[in-house]
Amino acid sequence: MKKIYLLTIIFHFFLVFSPISLSAQTLHDGYLETDYTLEKYLNLTGEMLRVELFGKTGSFNIFCKNQEGQEVPLFSSANMCTSTGFLLKIDGRMHRINAESRIIRELRKYDNGAQLVFTVDNNVRFVIDFSLIKSASDKPEDIVRIRTYAINLGLESHSVDIKGIFDTVAGEASSVHFSTEKNTKIRNETRFVLEEIQRERTAVCTNDSTSFQFVFSGNQIQPIDSIVFANVDEIYKMEWDSGIRKGRGFTNIRSYEDSAIMVDWPSFMLSPDQKIENTFFIAAATNDESPRGIFYVDNYERIKAENSEEAEKTEETEEKAAPPAKENSDKRTDVDFVVMPIKDYQLDPEYIQALIDKIDILQSSKNVDKKEIQKLNAELDAILEKLRQR
């Protein structure tokens, strides 16, 4: 087994130092009216936020820079972030769309954002659209707007149910994993229904340096049936319409204080060529201030006008300055990393293979992120060293 791992790492290093160039072809989506290019891996990057997206698995993570310039993740990064994702139930059949091999997955980059696209049985397409926005014209992008689209590609109508599961890691070191706009503290398994969602509005998770705020009610946001806060393993074991065990903690025999959020949108019938949209927001802030997601949705029209004016001024300034064109890049050179002590779950062959897969995806992207590759290589080296000591 150790020889297999060593051969794999040699092959992996060959990939790392043999860049693969891919030609980008611009395509068009008539349903969403967007021009896009296909990617294997992509970073949607702002001054404060970064959204990391994987084409192979259709998974994603969100990071916020703290005051020291270090990136803090919102979701678990294990297994290429696949514990966070969406479930679809189409005509009564459930699909975990970032795990099933029969689902066609694409990662698309377009001018103002990125999309993960899932096609189920050539009948229904599900799109997760990410864009970075500002809560005020004088601030960096501090909010991720997430829009989902369900599109019927076939000739028959389909019943569709959608659930989002978000395996948060921020806040898990605290006795209060989540709090709401009304300052309700969530310490164990809890469920909100529509009226409670409209009252509580948000779910905030916080660590020592960063806060993330899910905004589930307000301007631009469609109604949500229910929200469940529970251990992530217990969420994935739940039947689609099952209840919860109110008061159960976030720890089970497999994981300690491993909380997650499950969002359940209303079911609907999807007619041929019809498109149904749902939207929510995730705002972030360092702990010297509060996330401004609620402020944004409550002041949307005014902020939209201010941002539009600011964009026009910026465009005029850039035209006058006429700087030389710079090549686009997703590379990040200012993020330090430390390899944490290796834990038992990292020695699992499936985890190691997922780590190698992630490095391969990074290496095969057009904009090779050498810093991230170095970080993952360091983790892989530490794992191999731990295996040699056994």
Side-chain angles (χ1 to χ4, degrees):
M1 181 64 74
K2 293 180 182 178
K3 289 183 179 180
I4 293 174
Y5 287 146
L6 289 172
L7 288 172
T8 302
I9 190 62
I10 291 170
F11 175 69
H12 162 68
F13 274 115
F14 173 78
L15 284 175
V16 167
F17 296 106
S18 302
I20 300 171
S21 61
L22 301 173
S23 58
Q25 179 182 2
T26 301
L27 304 171
H28 181 74
D29 187 318
Y31 288 99
L32 300 174
E33 291 300 328
T34 54
D35 294 325
Y36 64 92
T37 57
L38 292 174
E39 310 286 340
K40 291 187 176 180
Y41 172 82
L42 183 65
N43 283 307
L44 189 60
T45 307
E47 182 180 336
M48 180 178 176
L49 292 173
R50 178 169 69 95
V51 182
E52 182 180 35
L53 302 114
F54 300 90
K56 180 178 179 180
T57 53
S59 52
F60 60 93
N61 206 341
I62 296 172
F63 300 83
C64 176
K65 283 187 180 179
N66 62 19
Q67 290 178 315
E68 287 73 41
Q70 298 172 324
E71 289 190 321
V72 177
L74 171 57
F75 304 126
S76 170
S77 297
N79 298 319
M80 292 170 64
C81 314
T82 51
S83 57
T84 291
F86 285 78
L87 307 178
L88 298 184
K89 188 163 72 167
I90 301 173
D91 298 331
R93 181 178 179 181
M94 193 187 81
H95 303 271
R96 185 173 173 179
I97 59 175
N98 66 5
E100 293 184 19
S101 59
R102 64 184 296 172
I103 291 178
I104 300 171
R105 288 180 277 271
E106 295 177 348
L107 170 56
R108 299 177 177 180
K109 179 182 179 181
Y110 68 98
D111 284 346
N112 299 314
Q115 297 171 339
L116 290 169
V117 181
F118 308 83
T119 304
V120 184
D121 296 334
N122 296 319
N123 289 319
V124 174
R125 177 171 294 162
F126 183 71
V127 180
I128 314 170
D129 182 290
F130 302 85
S131 55
L132 301 181
I133 57 178
K134 298 180 178 183
S135 64
S137 59
D138 61 345
K139 285 186 168 290
E141 293 92 344
D142 56 344
I143 298 174
V144 183
R145 178 175 58 204
I146 301 179
R147 288 174 170 161
T148 68
Y149 301 94
I151 304 168
N152 189 343
L153 308 177
L155 301 176
E156 299 180 356
S157 296
H158 299 281
S159 64
V160 179
D161 290 84
I162 301 169
K163 286 185 177 183
I165 298 176
F166 307 98
D167 185 8
T168 55
V169 292
E172 289 185 342
S174 168
S175 62
V176 177
H177 284 223
F178 306 98
S179 60
T180 71
E181 178 68 8
K182 294 297 183 182
N183 207 31
T184 298
K185 310 295 185 185
I186 300 172
R187 295 181 170 87
N188 45 44
E189 194 164 315
T190 305
R191 182 173 185 259
F192 290 158
V193 295
L194 178 59
E195 290 182 2
E196 293 166 313
I197 295 168
Q198 292 174 340
R199 181 181 68 243
E200 304 289 349
R201 302 192 68 188
T202 68
V204 178
C205 48
T206 302
N207 64 15
D208 291 336
S209 63
T210 312
S211 295
F212 294 93
Q213 179 191 60
F214 292 79
V215 184
F216 294 126
S217 178
N219 198 345
Q220 304 182 77
I221 302 173
Q222 292 75 22
I224 293 170
D225 263 357
S226 67
I227 298 174
V228 169
F229 304 88
N231 176 278
V232 66
D233 292 329
E234 300 301 330
I235 282 178
Y236 276 110
K237 289 192 295 186
M238 290 179 182
E239 297 294 331
W240 191 272
D241 297 316
S242 68
I244 66 165
R245 284 177 54 185
K246 186 173 178 62
R248 177 169 54 181
F250 293 130
T251 297
N252 66 4
I253 58 173
R254 292 188 55 190
S255 56
Y256 177 75
E257 297 292 349
D258 193 359
S259 55
I261 303 172
M262 180 171 67
V263 182
D264 186 5
W265 283 271
S267 59
F268 52 88
M269 289 299 299
L270 196 61
S271 302
D273 289 328
Q274 187 180 11
K275 177 179 67 180
I276 299 292
E277 174 185 339
N278 287 296
T279 302
F280 65 100
F281 299 89
I282 298 175
T286 55
N287 279 349
D288 58 337
E289 58 183 27
S290 299
R292 291 164 57 90
I294 284 290
F295 175 85
Y296 174 80
V297 299
D298 288 347
N299 297 274
Y300 170 69
E301 294 298 337
R302 178 173 62 80
I303 293 170
K304 181 181 178 183
E306 288 177 356
N307 287 343
S308 179
E309 290 175 7
E310 186 69 21
E312 289 177 5
K313 290 178 183 177
T314 302
E315 188 175 341
E316 289 174 5
T317 303
E318 289 176 350
E319 286 177 358
K320 289 177 182 177
K326 292 184 178 180
E327 187 177 337
N328 260 344
S329 176
D330 283 332
K331 297 177 184 177
R332 295 170 291 115
T333 58
D334 58 343
V335 179
D336 294 328
F337 62 86
V338 176
V339 179
M340 302 300 291
I342 299 302
K343 298 181 179 180
D344 287 344
Y345 75 87
Q346 291 172 282
L347 304 178
D348 185 277
E350 289 186 6
Y351 179 89
I352 296 172
Q353 186 60 56
L355 183 61
I356 293 170
D357 289 345
K358 180 176 180 178
I359 299 171
D360 292 345
I361 289 171
L362 287 171
Q363 176 57 35
S364 63
S365 67
K366 293 190 293 297
N367 297 305
V368 178
D369 189 342
K370 291 183 179 178
K371 196 75 174 181
E372 183 70 9
I373 289 173
Q374 290 171 357
K375 175 182 175 182
L376 298 177
N377 274 330
E379 181 186 353
L380 193 53
D381 284 342
I383 291 172
L384 291 172
E385 182 60 31
K386 187 87 170 180
L387 287 171
R388 291 189 196 101
Q389 295 171 3
R390 286 192 158 190

